[in-house]
Amino acid sequence: MSDIPDLTQYIMTGTKYLLPILALWILLRCIRSMLRERYEPETWAWLLDEDGAALPVCHWESIIGRAASSDVVLDMPGVSKLHASLQRDGDGDWTLSDLRSREGTYVNGEEIDILEPVEDGDTLEFGDAVLTFREIDADERAALERRRNAPGRFIGPGITLLILSIFQAFLALEFTITAQQEYLFPICLGFFALMVMEWFCYLVTRSVRRTGFEPETLAFFLTTLGTAVCASGTPEDMFKQTIFIILGVALYFFLGAWLRSLERVKASRFLAAAAALGLLAVNVVFSEAVFGAKNWLEIGGVSFQPSELVKVLYIYTGAATLDRLFARRNLFVFIVFSAICVIALALIGDFGTAVIFFAAFLVISFMRSGSFATIFLAVSGAAMAGFLVISVKPYIADRFSTWGHVWEDVWDTGYQQTHAMSAAASGGLFGKGAGEGWLKDIFAAETDMVFGVVCEELGLILAVLAMFALIALALFAVRNAAQGRSTFYVIAGCAAVSLMMVQMGLNVFGSLDILPFTGVTFPFVSKGGTSLVSCWMLLAFVKATDTRRDASFVVSRDKAPKRRYEDEDEYEDYEDGSEEAGA
Amino acid sequence: MKKVKRRATAALLIAALLVVGLAVYLVRLADNGGAWASYFNGGTPGGTILDRKGVVLYTSDEDGHSFAADWTTRVACYHLIGDAMGNVRTGALRQFRDKLAGYSFIEGTTSGETFSLTVDSALNAAAYSAMAGRNGACMLIDYTTGEILCMVSTPSDDPANPSSEPADGTYLNKCLSASFTPGSVFKLVTLAAAIENIPDLFERSFWCEGSAIVGGSTLTCTGAHGTQNIEQALANSCNCVFGQLAVELGPETMAEYAEALGITAELQLDGMDVLSGSYVKGEAGSIGLAWSGAGQYEDLVCPYALLRYVSAIANGGEIYEPTLLGHDALDGKTRLLSADTAQRIAEMMNYNVQNAYGTWVFGGLNVSAKTGTAEVGDGTSHAWITGFLNDPEHPYAFVVVLEHAGGGLANAGPVASAVLQAAVAAY
């Protein structure tokens, strides 16, 4: 018996140093896999001019115009700067939309408005430019597919997931030493469920022949940290936490599958907007105030935060396809919609979420309009609104007056921040060990001060890696923008990562007194059912930007060849090849 | 698509801001991590503080904390250690919290650590007894190493049984965080300036008839000292001579020396801020300037700064910065004044004791000193004495100030003597 205590000491010390190493390894593998792949320029169609010279169409959604920022540049008289948009859908059908050009756009001599179908061999006129539309043929199509990169060839996602599983196993092992006897079972079950879930997800994506699993791995990594925080601070809620993770992952797959069809998305955007406004309205009317903000709604004994789900709907509504991007009316409607959302949140008193929405609004409206003037107007409007909120809501003004002075009043207004900073500092680089901290016993530690808990128990290195995991997702989404299938996916993906990053910034820096304390959650890590579910749903938007070959289940496989090619055998060959590459 | 692709980089701006914010945090953490980490550590920091002889002054673990066993030691070291509530800003419990809690950037907090201070609690007790209930400050330092051997401030309190209504100034360590009108001890500053700026100072003969007219007002002296040389003027503590020297040197030179000798400089002790004194420049040729040269007017001096200056005089013009934690390696001396000037002032301070104060004041020890009786305007005076022991075996410099206690020699002198005797007997 005497060597048992010695053993626990070895385990605690060993895992303490092992966990950051494993986490760094996971992060580096994911980043390398996500960012190393080189994107080849893809050609999806040709525009042939009268001399037979060919202009490549490199995207599914392209702008044709005189401006250098157009995707197909026609420097000829009569062509407007942004003349028309040429779009391809998932079925391989092409449409042309006029962008209110001066001279108009013609297909086979007929003037068109928007979403006019275009077929191989059609003659397109933009001002003085007369071009013949030519789809790529079967050989080009096959060559294109071969050139595209498939993830997982150099860095196996299965290995990365295995490392994550080892990480989780060691984390659970620490808890078997530090946790109270009565909570051992739920904690171990929670970690076990996490492992089962991630491998199940992995097998599901493999079964539909998709090999990209880095965004999911990063999200599972962050969720693992969240599970550790829950196990440490509120082990009695482990079952609940596990159920919310399952729900979040399920909704992630649902939303991802839903996003596959752009037609379906386009048709349901107004419904989503209505749902968002409806949820907020219900929230304003029925919710009960919990610690200042009236953002909790209880239905049948389960409480949830509608504003978290509105985040997903908001991005769904806010992103737009290219043909709608240049209509001022659409942007105006979006601004009104955003204003209603932010005002509703201000009424609810959820100041932090209002800020997050506003940041998401800035990103979306900038990506839609590209106009700094719009942004400037929005920011000055928000500044005035913010001033109003601060003067009306005294507890928010308190938070601002405390900002930067938390050490002057450690037992009252600076209580949470100073305790978070103190605990974070006492953890050092490697932490005190899972379940060994004291910050977890303080109110809202596992949500608002979660960075402090992670720093204290698991160490600064892991906490910083958690931040970088989210930043890596953001870089991934931005990088994918170049090859996005539709501006809808690009805008939604970038808005989703921006929203999560702003939320993380407010959470982390708010608890460290670098920003005012707003009480928002750290995506995936903070405990909180609805927040966790909404983060997993936002991840679906990121997944939709991933157009590497056979990487993302959200991006449907190209159906075009199947329907058009006479020679079915050739297509089968190509598909076999892809499986090989993915293995 | 190209447009949207370009605009997507806006998201990178947010990522960049996150990295900047993180960098800000890491810098702050590196700077303040120790103070943060040990702030809430079970209320009081864990660890043990010893004096230079190994006497436990404070110790704590999971079960609680305790101070020195002996009442006199606790009260005499109250300001050195501080109390559990953190009332004494310069107390070791607050200032060396990170050291006590065993904090490092890499490991975070570890189990509490034990460390020693340079102070001898027995000397503190001796000083506390000698001060006999009068308010003020007393310090003793080894001027060859900069180690502070004694540091007492009164009124004091018992940290183990804190008073519910502490007297005014209880929470203030007057050695470090208070400044007083210096009176004649400031003449050591005027003297240094005069030696280095008036070439014929030592050939001069000064005349004092009990008062002098400066700028149309009367500068009063402690007596009519008649004809004196500079040595005798210092021993007599002649206001007429030092007032007129200040006028001759001018306000700029006086202020420059007050700064260079550390009286008005921003000093630190083991990283904690010490209160700076002040020297307000009187107008050239004015009575204010004259009085400022004699340590009155608007002059204010912190005992710590004066002790540091006198240590430099004793140690050939340069010192190792004073410390409570001890120096790991003796390097980086600070020069305050030239060796030659220091030598001359030291000799003159010795002349004071031999010819004016009497060696019996210090029980036969070979001491060099300067007294001060600083008028504070309400009819009372602060009693000052500062100086050092001329003994290579016992290289101690001291400063004593007793508030509203009357004459410097009569009141502060015996306190200094008691501490010196105790120190010589102990080492």
Side-chain angles (χ1 to χ4, degrees), chain A residues 71 367 422 426 429 432, chain B residues 1-2 7 36 106-107 109:
Chain A
D71 298 296
M367 289 189 70
S422 179
S426 68
L429 294 184
K432 295 249 158 291
Chain B
M1 209 63 216
K2 218 192 250 177
R7 293 172 193 167
W36 293 349
I106 291 170
E107 286 287 325
T109 49

Side-chain angles (χ1 to χ4, degrees), chain B residues 13-95:
Chain B
L13 186 69
I14 300 174
L17 287 176
L18 285 177
V19 173
V20 169
L22 190 60
V24 168
Y25 171 65
L26 292 180
V27 169
R28 287 189 187 177
L29 182 68
D31 206 20
N32 304 315
W36 293 349
S38 43
Y39 201 96
F40 298 107
N41 218 353
T44 49
T48 300
I49 305 178
L50 308 174
D51 84 342
R52 74 182 292 126
K53 286 193 169 159
V55 175
V56 175
L57 299 181
Y58 172 88
T59 184
S60 82
D61 52 28
E62 290 81 26
D63 304 327
H65 67 271
S66 63
F67 291 88
D70 167 52
W71 180 85
T72 315
T73 309
R74 287 203 300 271
V75 173
C77 297
Y78 177 74
H79 295 93
L80 176 67
I81 301 298
D83 62 11
M85 303 296 291
N87 286 319
V88 182
R89 190 183 60 81
T90 54
L93 285 181
R94 274 188 69 170
Q95 293 295 332

Side-chain angles (χ1 to χ4, degrees), chain A residues 416-437:
Chain A
Q416 291 174 303
Q417 298 94 314
T418 50
H419 280 75
M421 287 156 88
S422 179
S426 68
L429 294 184
F430 300 98
K432 295 249 158 291
E436 296 279 80

Side-chain angles (χ1 to χ4, degrees), chain A residues 37-352:
Chain A
E37 317 279 352
R38 207 156 43 89
Y39 281 105
E40 293 291 333
E42 300 169 291
T43 303
W44 296 95
W46 300 95
L47 291 174
L48 309 174
D49 70 8
E50 283 137 329
D51 308 327
L55 294 166
V57 178
C58 301
H59 300 282
W60 280 24
E61 294 182 356
S62 301
I63 299 225
I64 297 166
R66 197 157 44 80
S69 61
S70 304
D71 298 296
V72 178
V73 182
L74 296 174
D75 196 7
M76 289 165 98
V79 180
S80 297
K81 281 187 174 166
L82 306 175
H83 198 110
S85 79
L86 184 62
Q87 289 172 251
R88 179 192 193 276
D89 66 14
D91 297 330
D93 296 326
W94 291 84
T95 57
L96 188 63
S97 300
D98 183 67
L99 297 176
R100 286 181 300 167
S101 61
R102 202 152 38 84
E103 306 260 320
T105 305
Y106 297 82
V107 175
N108 296 331
E110 307 235 335
E111 180 155 16
I112 61 146
D113 186 15
I114 56 162
L115 298 175
E116 180 73 16
V118 181
E119 306 233 328
D120 193 45
D122 283 350
T123 307
L124 316 180
E125 283 175 60
F126 313 97
D128 288 359
V130 180
L131 302 159
T132 308
F133 178 72
R134 174 113 248 146
E135 279 190 63
I136 51 171
D137 61 27
D139 290 342
E140 285 174 314
R141 162 93 242 135
L144 182 67
E145 273 304 317
R146 269 197 297 278
R147 264 215 313 278
R148 282 175 64 205
N149 275 308
R153 196 175 332 182
F154 304 107
I155 297 161
I159 306 280
T160 316
L161 199 59
L162 190 67
I163 302 169
L164 179 62
S165 301
I166 296 170
F167 177 84
Q168 288 158 341
F170 276 110
L171 201 53
L173 185 64
E174 275 199 29
F175 276 110
T176 61
I177 294 168
T178 62
Q180 288 173 38
Q181 201 66 34
E182 55 181 310
Y183 295 125
L184 268 185
F185 176 66
I187 289 173
C188 289
L189 189 74
F191 279 99
F192 184 68
L194 207 54
M195 284 188 220
V196 170
M197 223 180 312
E198 68 206 19
W199 283 104
F200 177 74
C201 293
Y202 178 72
L203 292 176
V204 165
T205 56
R206 292 303 289 224
S207 70
V208 294
R209 296 206 213 99
R210 296 298 195 278
T211 56
F213 203 67
E214 306 92 337
E216 290 93 337
T217 307
L218 289 176
F220 272 116
F221 166 65
L222 290 171
T223 308
T224 305
L225 296 183
T227 305
V229 169
C230 180
S232 170
T234 52
E236 66 277 11
D237 288 345
M238 277 303 276
F239 283 120
K240 227 158 120 186
Q241 175 84 357
T242 304
I243 288 167
F244 274 116
I245 296 172
I246 294 172
L247 185 65
V249 174
L251 284 173
Y252 161 72
F253 278 102
F254 170 76
L255 183 60
W258 179 269
L259 286 174
R260 286 165 69 114
S261 159
L262 203 50
E263 295 307 311
R264 185 163 54 202
V265 170
K266 277 198 230 173
S268 57
R269 278 180 53 225
F270 280 101
L271 209 62
L277 294 178
L279 272 173
L280 284 173
V282 169
N283 195 161
V284 170
V285 177
F286 292 108
S287 62
E288 48 188 305
V290 178
F291 308 107
K294 274 172 62 171
N295 55 0
W296 289 91
L297 209 58
E298 202 170 298
I299 294 174
V302 181
S303 57
F304 77 108
Q305 281 181 291
S307 58
E308 292 289 345
L309 296 178
V310 176
K311 281 178 194 166
V312 180
L313 293 169
Y314 179 77
I315 288 179
Y316 191 90
T317 314
T321 46
L322 191 63
D323 54 307
R324 306 187 65 83
L325 222 49
F326 295 94
R328 290 235 172 268
R329 190 181 63 87
N330 290 335
L331 187 62
F332 179 73
V333 169
F334 172 63
I335 289 174
V336 171
F337 171 65
S338 306
I340 294 173
C341 287
V342 173
I343 289 168
L345 288 166
L347 279 179
I348 294 165
D350 193 348
F351 184 68

